[in-house]
Amino acid sequence: MRWGLTKFAQKATFSTSIILSTVENMDTLAILALLKAKPGKEKEVEDFLKSALLMVQAETGTTSWYALKMGPGKFGIFDTFPDEIGRNAHLSGEIAKALFAKAEELLAEPPTIEQPEILAVKTPGA
């Protein structure tokens, strides 16, 4: 078998080209914040992230926002924005201020903040 493919996969038909459709006005910017809770502070980090939903709902420049539990003591925040104005407003907004005010108390290390670009997206209705 070539490439370790099963007989089923060998018989499958694959397209020779992939077409990615993008949606006009799709969000192209994001933030990915990775958080590591101090031992014994996991519940407090989780509660903080859940409570942050109320703050982000007031941010008109933030299109989508996700609070994530990635494993024991590992959390994250992923949000998307249509433009740099929205992303910068979020980075200097209420959630960021509240997170950094509690960071030393709750986190084992400073948060890792990434600012990726979104290349393609699949959402309901897209």
Side-chain angles (χ1 to χ4, degrees):
M1 274 186 246
R2 189 168 182 242
W3 300 100
L5 295 176
T6 65
K7 286 184 181 183
F8 177 80
Q10 288 176 340
K11 293 180 182 180
T13 304
F14 296 95
S15 172
T16 57
S17 65
I18 298 172
I19 299 171
L20 292 178
S21 61
T22 57
V23 179
E24 278 192 39
N25 300 322
M26 83 169 205
D27 286 355
T28 57
L29 303 175
I31 295 173
L32 175 62
L34 302 174
L35 314 170
K36 184 176 179 184
K38 282 184 177 178
K41 296 291 185 175
E42 298 87 354
K43 175 85 168 89
E44 289 178 61
V45 172
E46 190 171 327
D47 290 345
F48 170 81
L49 290 174
K50 289 177 181 178
S51 73
L53 178 60
L54 294 173
M55 290 182 265
V56 79
Q57 287 174 333
E59 294 181 3
T60 58
T62 303
T63 304
S64 63
W65 182 88
Y66 302 86
L68 312 168
K69 184 173 184 177
M70 301 170 69
K74 293 170 57 178
F75 299 88
I77 300 170
F78 180 75
D79 6 45
T80 67
F81 311 88
D83 55 38
E84 199 66 54
I85 294 168
R87 182 159 67 177
N88 287 336
H90 181 74
L91 285 169
S92 61
E94 296 304 311
I95 294 174
K97 289 176 187 172
L99 176 62
F100 284 103
K102 291 186 164 268
E104 197 169 318
E105 172 193 344
L106 300 178
L107 303 179
E109 56 193 44
T112 300
I113 310 292
E114 300 286 344
Q115 297 184 51
E117 293 181 33
I118 299 170
L119 300 177
V121 65
K122 179 198 180 287
T123 58

